[in-house]
Amino acid sequence: MKRTISALIGLVSLPAMAEEFSFLPSTLPDVSAIERYEVHTPKLPQGMPMAVGSGLRFKGYEKGTSALEFWSLTDRGPNVDTPDVLVRGKATASKLFVAPDFTPTIAQIRVSLAEKAAVIQTMPIKQSGKQISGLPVPSGSVGSTGEVGLDRLLNTLSYDVNGLDPEGIDFDAQGNLWIVDEYGPFIAKIDGKTGEVLKKYGPGVGLPAELAFRQPNRGFEGVAVTPSGKVVATIQSTLDVEGKTKSDALFTRIVVLDPATDSVKQYAYPVSAFFKKAGDMKIGDIVAISETKFALIEQGKDKDKQMHNDIVLVDLSNATDIQGKTLPNGKLLEFANAADVQQMGVQFATKKTILDLRKLGWKPEKSEGLALVDGTTLAVINDNDFAVGSQLKGTDKKLDELVVSDGKLQDKSGNVHQGASLSIEQNDDKTELWLITLRKSLKDWK
């Protein structure tokens, strides 16, 4: 059943239903209507809401109604920033996992138009019949970020060789789900009925080895399945090759996997000029319009520290496949300057910003899910990070001025800060899903 926004516009005069649903005024000439929904989500045993905004894809209309159904998913679970941990005397990055036994979960969201949005079904991700966790992958394994997981008492947690940090979801014509993650970065084919991982691709294991140079927690951040079944995944930010390129690389990578042949192509998505450092640009999600045209979210703070959450049209039709390409000295293209790129004849993907979500009133920091309901209606969802954060108490030091050793907080001179603790703080951040109706189809944008 096709959604008709004209019918909804007549409902503007109805009283608002608390904050579950509201129409928002459009200040941009290309936007005819904006609908904001607060998504009702299940609560975890620890009391925090499930954060299902790490990816979004339109599943279809509910049978016999005009309600919309979406696939969505969580990331690795509620975690907060912590000081580095001393591992054999070396300061090592860490995260506190508020719910260490949390399983990354696929969810279905139902949007009852002009009423409410709610998670109606969840499906935990499994590997070999066993629920996985979101805990870091062991050091030395494909996908390791080098992070140490901590519990609430700042004790070290075990690793999970099957751990995933999901950040994007789509489905193919056979009903399989495809998700991408930030650890590997991995691309996983998943049974759409059971949540079982059927196949997993990673750097050096079906994907280009150089993808292992992704910045920690900046792996794949979006996935799109094209009409022919190609799986397109975006690296969130620039690769940090040999620890030298994250701030200066001219592009981040778009990876195109053909599951029928397991062949791979790669394309360069250019960094926007308004970012102070290349690594400040982050991709949020991607959705296919055709085989070569896509819409994606580009976000991050610019040179003036103004936050961007932009919808960008991307075209790969004239872009160069950079799979296997290197500079004459053998180094990866992340080391290239503009002259190098021109001399090699490498064409980047073309892109055009069509919507600035901030100008529409978007407030959340992270817009991490993007879907197309039809040619003129976009759906956007945020990740509220399970509405938790951390705060140091009992000390005037900052996180980066302390380290964790044997479960205790100490400064970098080895002095234990008695009474210092890391508090888990609940906040009021909500999961929002917006439906944005454009005045013309995305296929007509040039």
Side-chain angles (χ1 to χ4, degrees):
M1 180 179 293
K2 186 170 177 61
R3 178 174 182 269
T4 55
I5 188 65
S6 58
L8 290 178
I9 292 174
L11 297 177
V12 174
S13 61
L14 290 180
M17 301 179 62
E19 293 187 356
E20 293 184 353
F21 162 78
S22 59
F23 275 109
L24 301 178
S26 170
T27 57
L28 300 181
D30 294 319
V31 176
S32 62
I34 308 168
E35 303 153 54
R36 175 194 176 276
Y37 297 84
E38 181 182 314
V39 182
H40 292 256
T41 62
K43 286 191 178 294
L44 304 190
Q46 293 82 0
M48 63 207 63
M50 182 180 286
V52 296
S54 287
L56 192 70
R57 196 59 80 238
F58 181 54
K59 184 174 182 286
Y61 293 93
E62 183 183 61
K63 187 175 180 180
T65 79
S66 61
L68 312 180
E69 293 186 337
F70 294 89
W71 288 111
S72 64
L73 78 171
T74 72
D75 60 18
R76 58 183 171 175
N79 64 89
V80 298
D81 293 334
T82 50
D84 289 346
V85 175
L86 288 183
V87 179
R88 293 184 290 276
K90 181 181 179 181
T92 305
S94 71
K95 286 283 186 179
L96 189 158
F97 286 77
V98 183
D101 58 349
F102 177 80
T103 296
T105 299
I106 295 164
Q108 288 187 39
I109 297 174
R110 180 184 187 275
V111 177
S112 179
L113 294 174
E115 291 184 15
K116 64 179 181 180
V119 172
I120 58 171
Q121 188 173 343
T122 60
M123 180 168 61
I125 298 173
K126 298 188 285 291
Q127 179 90 49
S128 303
K130 180 183 177 182
Q131 292 186 13
I132 67 167
S133 77
L135 296 175
V137 176
S139 179
S141 301
V142 174
S144 172
T145 60
E147 290 176 307
V148 174
L150 302 176
D151 64 16
R152 286 176 179 262
L153 298 178
L154 302 183
N155 295 316
T156 301
L157 294 166
S158 60
Y159 292 96
D160 186 351
V161 69
N162 294 320
L164 287 174
D165 187 2
E167 292 293 347
I169 188 167
D170 206 341
F171 60 93
D172 61 26
Q174 291 72 46
N176 300 302
L177 297 174
W178 290 87
I179 70 166
V180 292
D181 114 302
E182 292 199 289
Y183 280 150
F186 296 115
I187 298 176
K189 178 183 179 181
I190 291 181
D191 188 309
K193 295 181 179 179
T194 67
E196 178 74 24
V197 174
L198 303 174
K199 188 170 184 176
K200 188 160 70 172
Y201 302 80
V205 189
L207 294 179
E210 62 264 25
L211 298 182
F213 286 118
R214 56 89 185 94
Q215 299 176 49
N217 299 314
R218 300 278 190 95
F220 286 133
E221 188 68 24
V223 63
V225 177
T226 71
S228 72
K230 304 287 196 310
V231 178
V232 180
T234 53
I235 297 291
Q236 183 179 25
S237 295
T238 50
L239 297 185
D240 193 20
V241 184
E242 301 171 9
K244 299 176 180 178
T245 64
K246 68 178 181 180
S247 296
D248 301 313
L250 301 176
F251 63 92
T252 189
R253 295 187 178 231
I254 296 177
V255 179
V256 180
L257 168 69
D258 184 351
T261 61
D262 282 350
S263 61
V264 175
K265 294 182 178 181
Q266 296 189 76
Y267 300 94
Y269 177 86
V271 174
S272 293
F274 52 74
F275 290 108
K276 183 176 182 179
K277 296 181 294 184
D280 292 339
M281 184 185 75
K282 301 177 183 179
I283 306 301
D285 200 2
I286 187 170
V287 61
I289 299 171
S290 69
E291 285 297 315
T292 58
K293 293 183 179 180
F294 305 85
L296 62 72
I297 296 171
E298 181 185 296
Q299 55 194 352
K301 290 185 177 179
D302 64 20
K303 297 173 183 176
D304 298 321
K305 300 190 181 302
Q306 297 299 309
M307 187 66 188
H308 287 252
N309 301 91
D310 299 329
I311 307 296
V312 178
L313 288 184
V314 184
D315 191 344
L316 301 181
S317 57
N318 294 316
T320 303
D321 177 9
I322 61 172
Q323 173 69 14
K325 286 189 178 296
T326 60
L327 292 170
N329 61 8
K331 288 186 175 292
L332 290 172
L333 295 183
E334 276 72 13
F335 287 97
N337 57 36
D340 295 327
V341 171
Q342 185 175 15
Q343 185 173 5
M344 294 178 66
V346 172
Q347 296 292 322
F348 287 3
T350 58
K351 68 181 190 180
K352 178 181 181 180
T353 299
I354 63 166
L355 281 182
D356 180 342
L357 295 179
R358 292 272 151 182
K359 289 184 178 179
L360 293 177
W362 182 266
K363 301 298 184 186
E365 177 187 354
K366 298 180 177 182
S367 43
E368 293 198 354
L370 178 67
L372 293 178
V373 176
D374 52 41
T376 59
T377 305
L378 292 165
V380 183
I381 196 170
N382 72 303
D383 176 13
N384 73 340
D385 289 331
F386 295 82
V388 293
S390 62
Q391 184 176 350
L392 276 174
K393 294 190 174 181
T395 178
D396 58 358
K397 297 291 185 179
K398 298 179 180 178
L399 282 179
D400 60 1
E401 295 176 323
L402 297 174
V403 293
V404 177
S405 179
D406 296 325
K408 296 182 175 60
L409 292 168
Q410 64 179 49
D411 60 33
K412 295 180 181 180
S413 298
N415 301 309
V416 174
H417 281 238
Q418 300 291 347
S421 65
L422 194 69
S423 174
I424 308 301
E425 306 284 342
Q426 193 85 33
N427 59 52
D428 295 326
D429 291 349
K430 308 296 183 184
T431 298
E432 298 183 20
L433 188 151
W434 284 28
L435 297 178
I436 303 170
T437 302
L438 306 174
R439 295 191 186 278
K440 62 181 179 180
S441 171
L442 285 179
K443 292 182 179 179
D444 297 329
W445 288 75
K446 302 298 183 184

